[in-house]
Amino acid sequence: MRITVKVGTSTLAYPTGRLNIRHVEELVKVLSDLKNAGHEIVLVSSGAIGMGVGKLPLSERPTDMPTKQAAAAVGQCELMYTYDRLFTEYNHVVAQILITGADFDHADRKQNLENTMFRLLELGVIPIINENDTIATEEISVGDNDTLGAIVATCVKSDLLVILSDIDGLYTADPRKDHNARFISVVETITPEIEALAGGSGSSLGTGGMATKLRAAHIATEAGTDMVIANGARPEILYDIVDGKRVGTRFIGEGRA
Ligand code: GLU
């Protein structure tokens, strides 16, 4: 299987911006093991801004664009240094790919990206992708890595997209506020009712915006890719997801039901 895994800042770093060593080490170990088992792995990783905040003399996540860009430029180095070091321990080679939303709007740039990605996969490399935060100001950015993960997954024709977050998946209501909230383990069609679960003021179902995850699910499933939202606190969960077990919320790709 070709598997694209998107991992969010909440899994990779503590609120201080410092690396969550346990999560990152486990993630790299599981991804390396899945690769050893014969799967192809593409990793879409956030965390550049968060880690930049941890390294720079900044007390909190910046709100102004130049400081965000500066933090991302610093943090991206730390992020890749960490991945390179940890994947090397398991004899895997990684590549860094930084893209912006505009790259997908230009046929030639998109083609260049695809050529690079497919060649890297042929060479047995694990591409690690993030938005190019130095360049990607609002007008040209994808904006969030859930959507970026879905675009990348369809671009490389992944069989599966996994979004690792700080939530278990999709619920019928916010489980922290509503004891009757039911967990939804399979979504065969993204109906308006499902859509409605992501929106609404104050009803965000978990801290990692469900709206961007549903947008990602739309993009992935339309292209025939299954997408699973799962909790990244235990990266071993990826084994069960790849085995098709019922963990997290699985959105069934068109033509796969
Ligand atoms: N590109 C951002 C970063 O690396 C993350 C964007 C997102 O997680 O949605 O910090």
Side-chain angles (χ1 to χ4, degrees):
M1 264 210 281
R2 182 170 294 160
I3 308 160
T4 298
V5 176
K6 183 261 166 178
V7 62
T9 308
S10 56
T11 302
L12 298 171
Y14 289 105
T16 55
R18 292 285 178 181
L19 194 69
N20 186 322
I21 295 172
R22 186 171 41 135
H23 283 181
V24 177
E25 286 191 342
E26 278 172 17
L27 176 71
V28 169
K29 186 173 168 187
V30 174
L31 292 177
S32 296
D33 201 25
L34 287 170
K35 179 133 179 55
N36 286 351
H39 300 290
E40 285 178 329
I41 306 292
V42 174
L43 181 60
V44 175
S45 178
S46 304
I49 298 175
M51 259 170 229
V53 172
K55 272 196 123 178
L56 289 169
L58 298 169
S59 52
E60 55 188 27
R61 200 179 160 91
T63 48
D64 67 293
M65 193 51 91
T67 315
K68 273 194 209 169
Q69 290 167 316
V74 170
Q76 183 65 26
C77 293
E78 172 83 353
L79 201 57
M80 285 312 296
Y81 167 71
T82 304
Y83 281 130
D84 196 13
R85 199 165 41 81
L86 294 175
F87 275 110
T88 299
E89 279 182 27
Y90 297 103
N91 286 318
H92 290 301
V93 177
V94 297
Q96 170 184 261
I97 300 209
L98 298 176
I99 35 189
T100 69
D103 295 328
F104 298 101
D105 300 334
H106 291 76
D108 52 345
R109 291 199 209 172
K110 190 164 177 266
Q111 188 61 58
N112 289 339
L113 171 67
E114 282 175 16
N115 292 348
T116 309
M117 290 287 292
F118 285 121
R119 189 69 186 119
L120 285 169
L121 290 171
E122 268 171 21
L123 291 166
V125 175
I126 300 177
I128 303 182
I129 293 149
N130 197 354
E131 180 130 26
N132 188 342
D133 291 317
T134 302
I135 308 296
T137 48
E138 230 162 273
E139 314 77 59
I140 59 158
S141 68
V142 174
D144 69 89
N145 275 8
D146 294 329
T147 310
L148 181 65
I151 297 174
V152 166
T154 59
C155 210
V156 298
K157 301 183 173 42
S158 288
D159 301 289
L160 177 66
L161 166 65
V162 182
I163 296 200
L164 293 178
S165 179
D166 56 357
I167 45 169
D168 295 331
L170 186 63
Y171 285 87
T172 54
D174 187 339
R176 288 165 307 184
K177 293 182 191 150
D178 184 344
H179 290 307
N180 296 321
R182 264 189 316 107
F183 189 71
I184 302 174
S185 57
V186 181
V187 176
E188 289 195 1
T189 318
I190 304 172
T191 58
E193 290 75 38
I194 294 285
E195 211 84 72
L197 296 177
S201 54
S203 72
S204 90
L205 308 170
T207 49
M210 195 46 84
T212 57
K213 290 178 180 52
L214 278 186
R215 192 186 319 143
H218 260 295
I219 298 170
T221 54
E222 249 175 51
T225 301
D226 271 13
M227 183 184 113
V228 176
I229 303 172
N231 200 319
R234 259 195 348 104
E236 296 82 6
I237 204 168
L238 282 164
Y239 289 120
D240 286 344
I241 295 171
V242 169
D243 286 346
K245 292 191 184 145
R246 283 207 169 200
V247 282
T249 298
R250 183 177 286 256
F251 296 79
I252 309 291
E254 277 177 25
R256 283 183 187 257

